[in-house]
Every structure is written in structure tokens, then in C-alpha cells.
Amino acid sequence: MKKFEFTLGKLLGYKEQVLKKEKNDLAALRKQQQQAMEERQRLIEKLEHSNREFAEKCKKGMSPQHIVLEKSYINSVCEQIRALERSIELFGVKIEKQLVVVVEASKEVSTLEKLRDKQFEDYQKAVQKSEELFISEFVANKAFHKV
């Protein structure tokens, strides 16, 4: 009997490639989100440090120009933090959408794998039946030639 070959093997290979690509895209989005979160944390620490420095300078006395300058710097850092938070939220939405795509691709691959397993099981049954038939014919021929 000929060797087992899954009839939808090429489609399964293609779907596995698609799944791998979608998983890579998901990993890239998660990495970008993580980098944005780390940057946000770095800016929060920078803001806290700047606020402490500003408070110290205010205690010692500052000119109005320096106060305005320091406050505009602190506001700039706050705006950068807000922008990163919006970016992190956007990455969260993109990740959720990509998760749906990955789940669907996984389902398609899983369905094809189950179909392949079923076809292989049927193939093994056919091979076993063929071998049983061959053995029974062999035994019948042996018995016929002895007589």
C-alpha cells in the first residue's frame, strides 16, 4: 500500500505559516506595549524627581522666570506620560484584536490537524485490513498447494 499523504497537507502548511505570522505580530505588539510601559515608568520617576527638585528650589527661593521654566518642563513631562498612556491603551486594543485573529488561526490549524489525524487513522485501518487480507490469502494459498 502507498505511503500516507494528508490530502490537505499544503493547506495545513499554509495555515501553520499564517498562525506563526499572526503569533509573531502579537508578540511584536506586546513588546511595543511593554516598551511604552517601561518608558512611562521612567518618565514617572523623572517627574517625581523633578517635583522634588522644584520643591527644594522653591524653599531656597527662585526667580519667577525659573519657576515658569521649571513648571513648563514638569508640564511637558506630564504630557509625555499622558501620550504614552494613550499609546499603551491603543496597544491594548490592538493586542485584543490580534488575539482574536490568533485564536481563529489556531482553530483552523487545529481543525486541519484533527482531520489529518482522522485520515491517518483511516489509513492505518485500511493498511491493517490489507495486511489481514494478504495473510488470509497467503494461508489459503499455502493450504491449497499442500493438498
Side-chain angles (χ1 to χ4, degrees):
M1 189 165 215
K2 69 178 184 172
K3 185 180 148 198
F4 174 74
E5 186 176 327
F6 180 48
T7 55
L8 298 174
K10 288 183 180 180
L11 180 62
L12 177 59
Y14 170 74
K15 293 292 184 178
E16 286 173 338
Q17 285 178 347
V18 168
L19 176 61
K20 185 176 179 181
K21 179 205 167 292
E22 297 300 343
K23 282 183 177 181
N24 287 339
D25 291 349
L26 178 61
L29 285 171
R30 285 181 171 160
K31 183 178 179 182
Q32 289 173 325
Q33 184 186 41
Q34 183 62 35
Q35 288 172 339
M37 291 169 101
E38 289 169 1
E39 178 68 11
R40 179 187 63 182
Q41 186 59 37
R42 188 185 65 75
L43 285 174
I44 288 172
E45 291 168 5
K46 189 176 188 178
L47 177 65
E48 290 169 353
H49 177 72
S50 295
N51 278 331
R52 283 192 301 273
E53 274 188 2
F54 179 70
E56 288 294 319
K57 288 179 182 178
C58 282
K59 285 181 187 175
K60 293 178 183 175
M62 289 176 63
S63 70
Q65 292 89 356
H66 280 89
I67 291 174
V68 169
L69 187 64
E70 290 282 331
K71 276 299 201 180
S72 77
Y73 174 75
I74 289 172
N75 288 337
S76 168
V77 172
C78 286
E79 185 54 40
Q80 288 175 357
I81 291 171
R82 283 190 289 275
L84 279 170
E85 287 172 348
R86 288 188 297 271
S87 177
I88 290 167
E89 254 182 61
L90 185 61
F91 280 125
V93 170
K94 288 179 180 179
I95 287 170
E96 288 299 316
K97 288 179 181 177
Q98 189 63 25
L99 271 172
V100 171
V101 171
V102 168
V103 167
E104 285 302 313
S106 294
K107 284 179 186 177
E108 290 175 6
V109 168
S110 177
T111 300
L112 287 171
E113 286 174 342
K114 286 177 185 176
L115 183 59
R116 180 193 60 205
D117 293 345
K118 176 72 172 128
Q119 280 188 5
F120 184 67
E121 188 179 304
D122 293 344
Y123 169 79
Q124 286 180 319
K125 287 178 184 177
V127 167
Q128 184 178 4
K129 195 160 207 102
S130 173
E131 288 173 354
E132 288 172 0
L133 183 62
F134 175 76
I135 291 171
S136 67
E137 286 178 5
F138 182 74
V139 169
N141 284 338
K142 273 286 197 190
F144 180 73
H145 287 302
K146 277 191 174 183
V147 174

